[in-house]
Amino acid sequence: MPRQAQSRCKMVSERLICMTAPAPTLPKKPVVTRFAPSPTGYLHIGGGRTALFNWLYARGHGGTFLLRIEDTDRARSTPDATAAILRGLTWLGLDWDGDVVSQFQQKDRHADVARDMLARGSAYKCFCTQEEIESFRAAAEAEKRSTLFISPWRDADPATHPDTPFVIRMKAPRTGQTVIADAVQGTVTFQNDLLDDMVCLRSDGTPTYMLAVVVDDHDMGVTHVIRGDDHLNNAARQTMVYNAMGWDVPVWAHIPLIHGPDGKKLSKRHGALGVEDYQSMGYPAAGMRNYLSRLGWSHGDDEFFTSAQAMGWFELEDIGRAPARLDFKKLEHICGLHIAAGENAALLHEVQAYLVVSGQTALTDAQSDGLLRAMYCLKDRAKTFPELIDKAHFVLTSRPVQLDEAATKSLDMVSRSMLRELTPHLQTALWTREALEAIFTAFAAAHGVGFGILAAPLRAALAGRIVTPSVYDMMLVIGQTETISRIEDAAA
RNA sequence: GGUCCGUUCGUCUAUCGGUUAGGACACCAGGUUUUCAACCUGGGAAGAGGGGUUCAACUCCCCUACGGACUGCCA
């Protein structure tokens, strides 16, 4: 994928760097990004966007997009949740490279690194019990002191170590500051004396997230960590692990979270949270990708685009710093454009998948065939798949066509007799739009009525409803025989 | 409480010191029409507040307010 657009600013600054320091023109490391959800439920819509950004960036830069499941918390991780996440990503069309990595399976490696840090003197054994720490924190809070816990074992003589369970804590620097050069947030500075010695290895020998992410990201060769800005504070402590091990720190990009329509953090009461919920609501995946990518990222005034275009445009510096709200109206609008632009067979395929996941009965072969033939007059008007199916009712249904209340009402004595007079004209008609238009125009004129008067009972007869696509489109799609039969049914 | 991040129309956003602050969704009005949509035209609608810096600030700096994240042997 050629780089179509690049921040002008960045190009200028790179040029400047080259002029002042010609040396660092080392070959750029290929981009490696990853999405690392924890398997505690479904794929959250915010997680879906994080995955999307990682995917766009990797794919747009000829890089690699990896997937890792952060399942070190055994109590909260379930195989079902992992499966749900994979399903969500697959539906969104975000394909990852290589095998899915299980963080838990790397636990021995994590423990090795923890011991390595111990040997290097950048970590130490802490024998404090959780109860001790909890009571310390409770007391500190009550007295309004800092709850920052400094282990008494930090500089203890190993000879004094008791024979009790211990955790391995990072021996974090107590002075100076840690600077995060974030591609989205800019330069963020943390005072080291405000950061505690995080636990790297639990007393049961399992690694904590803080250690595991760093080790895995390093081992997997991740060059760009694009994740929610709820991790921004963590980045400082994680940097210390990189430094302790002498590893290259990745490029950080902490993106703002997505909020609900009311501006509050997205939660259950907002309804649809999982990516799969959006699939069951019948939004096309291409539209979801388009809409989600515009939440917090922009490329000038471009609103409607394909993922291929987004890949060519996507740069970290174009990501905003403020949280964005979910707007279903705009989502629908974008999705409508994607349905309209969709290829008929692909749309049919997606509609079928939608019916299955939303627990509805799939279309029969005959219905699929009908939908395919009707697609041309349907797809411009539907924003979602349920809407598309609703508008396709005339071709999905079969005789005898069920009439709804309004349709029954419009088929009164007068209009039924009009329909009876109409059928002979249709029997001999050439079945083209032009010929049909000529017939109906003449027929309406002969009866001294406008075409609208004629169209209403026709909609009722053909679709059983009075809100339908164009009557000409319906007749052309269902064909001459079926049209005449339906009109005769209604006129009887 | 502490640390960190954020704040342009109702919403998503453009703007990288000089613009009548632009676009899109939504909304309102009109047009088109074969119902509903779609479509076309037009309209209202924004720099949180206060201080600086500057010839000039939405843009840079500080303070306040509001919102958020983190502050775990969760991830």
Side-chain angles (χ1 to χ4, degrees):
Chain A
M1 176 61 51
R3 197 87 80 80
Q4 292 179 11
Q6 161 114 226
S7 161
R8 202 166 293 125
C9 211
K10 193 185 166 196
M11 284 171 67
V12 169
S13 67
E14 275 177 358
R15 214 167 282 155
L16 284 175
I17 289 168
C18 283
M19 289 194 299
T20 51
T25 332
L26 300 167
K28 265 190 184 161
K29 264 196 292 182
V31 168
V32 179
T33 67
R34 50 68 163 181
F35 176 55
S38 44
T40 53
Y42 43 79
L43 174 57
H44 191 275
I45 187 71
R49 188 193 54 156
T50 301
L52 173 65
F53 280 13
N54 277 284
W55 178 78
L56 284 174
Y57 191 69
R59 293 280 179 266
H61 290 79
T64 309
F65 171 59
L66 304 174
L67 180 59
R68 181 175 73 229
I69 302 295
E70 309 235 317
D71 50 0
T72 51
D73 185 345
R74 302 313 289 165
R76 298 202 301 168
S77 299
T78 70
D80 282 356
T82 300
I85 289 167
L86 264 41
R87 274 201 311 274
L89 289 172
T90 302
W91 172 65
L92 264 184
L94 308 184
D95 55 324
W96 56 91
D97 296 303
D99 295 330
V100 178
V101 173
S102 157
Q103 186 160 65
F104 178 68
Q105 284 175 9
Q106 311 300 318
K107 65 182 196 309
D108 294 341
R109 161 71 175 153
H110 302 143
D112 283 347
V113 171
R115 279 188 286 274
D116 197 349
M117 285 170 61
L118 215 48
R120 290 161 179 253
S122 50
Y124 62 93
K125 294 179 180 176
C126 171
F127 297 86
C128 294
T129 65
Q130 291 187 63
E131 293 70 39
E132 282 169 356
I133 298 171
E134 272 164 33
S135 61
F136 162 81
R137 289 209 173 97
E141 200 157 333
E143 293 168 38
K144 294 199 164 140
R145 291 195 330 261
S146 163
T147 55
L148 195 80
F149 179 72
I150 308 280
S151 171
W153 300 97
R154 183 176 156 108
D155 297 305
D157 181 347
T160 65
H161 283 0
D163 186 22
T164 55
F166 60 89
V167 300
I168 294 182
R169 300 188 99 103
M170 168 93 211
K171 195 169 191 173
R174 295 246 50 83
T175 58
Q177 43 195 209
T178 298
V179 177
I180 303 299
D182 194 285
V184 174
Q185 307 288 341
T187 303
V188 184
T189 306
F190 294 89
Q191 297 302 321
N192 287 157
D193 58 4
L194 265 12
L195 267 19
D196 64 2
D197 290 342
M198 63 177 175
V199 172
C200 291
L201 207 64
R202 300 188 186 100
S203 50
D204 64 0
T206 60
T208 61
Y209 162 76
M210 286 294 181
L211 175 70
V213 240
V214 174
V215 174
D216 290 345
D217 282 342
H218 171 264
D219 289 355
M220 292 161 77
V222 173
T223 58
H224 298 254
V225 172
I226 305 168
R227 63 200 337 182
D229 70 6
D230 48 335
H231 288 285
L232 182 56
N233 292 278
N234 295 336
R237 300 203 290 180
Q238 289 163 201
T239 296
M240 292 174 176
V241 177
Y242 281 100
N243 292 156
M245 294 304 294
W247 293 338
D248 286 343
V249 178
V251 173
W252 306 108
H254 290 94
I255 63 179
L257 271 18
I258 296 178
H259 286 178
D262 57 358
K264 300 287 183 193
K265 186 185 174 183
L266 221 42
S267 66
K268 293 113 275 175
R269 69 196 161 73
H270 286 110
L273 277 185
V275 163
E276 285 186 295
D277 295 335
Y278 291 79
Q279 183 186 18
S280 338
M281 285 186 278
Y283 295 107
M288 279 305 288
R289 265 181 267 131
N290 186 163
Y291 176 73
L292 246 24
S293 69
R294 283 288 287 111
L295 246 33
W297 171 80
S298 64
H299 181 258
D301 283 337
D302 292 309
E303 300 274 1
F304 171 57
F305 44 78
T306 64
S307 295
Q309 285 175 297
M311 283 173 195
W313 293 334
F314 196 86
E315 292 299 337
L316 266 18
E317 25 284 299
D318 297 322
I319 298 175
R321 284 158 298 278
R325 305 181 189 197
L326 232 33
D327 180 353
F328 281 83
K329 288 289 187 192
K330 190 146 188 177
L331 203 213
E332 282 180 9
H333 177 257
I334 294 290
C335 284
L337 296 177
H338 280 276
I339 288 178
E343 201 264 309
N344 292 356
L347 287 172
L348 172 64
H349 194 258
E350 267 202 279
V351 166
Q352 288 284 37
Y354 152 72
L355 288 170
V356 171
V357 301
S358 61
Q360 304 175 63
T361 48
L363 302 178
T364 63
D365 287 350
Q367 287 177 316
S368 298
D369 187 55
L371 180 57
L372 222 38
R373 278 182 289 113
M375 202 68 93
Y376 79 95
C377 65
L378 263 22
K379 63 182 183 181
D380 285 338
R381 323 167 144 228
K383 294 183 167 76
T384 61
F385 293 137
E387 235 181 272
L388 185 76
I389 289 166
D390 184 61
K391 290 176 192 300
H393 179 257
F394 77 93
V395 71
L396 300 180
T397 193
S398 52
R399 293 177 59 213
V401 175
Q402 294 287 313
L403 305 179
D404 69 13
E405 201 180 319
T408 308
K409 218 167 164 182
S410 92
L411 283 169
D412 57 14
M413 297 273 282
V414 179
S415 47
R416 287 217 305 276
S417 81
M418 203 153 60
L419 290 182
R420 273 194 295 274
E421 280 184 54
L422 186 61
T423 27
H425 296 90
L426 297 178
Q427 235 109 36
T428 55
L430 191 63
W431 215 249
T432 66
R433 179 180 300 268
E434 295 69 30
L436 289 169
E437 275 181 18
I439 289 172
F440 281 93
T441 306
F443 187 86
H447 285 73
V449 298
F451 177 64
I453 300 294
L454 191 54
L458 267 174
R459 290 176 205 291
L462 297 175
R465 304 172 170 191
I466 57 165
V467 176
T468 73
S470 151
V471 293
Y472 297 119
D473 284 327
M474 289 196 289
M475 290 189 288
L476 290 168
V477 167
I478 65 178
Q480 185 168 22
T481 314
E482 180 72 9
T483 297
I484 293 169
S485 301
R486 288 190 189 185
I487 291 176
E488 282 172 349
D489 289 348

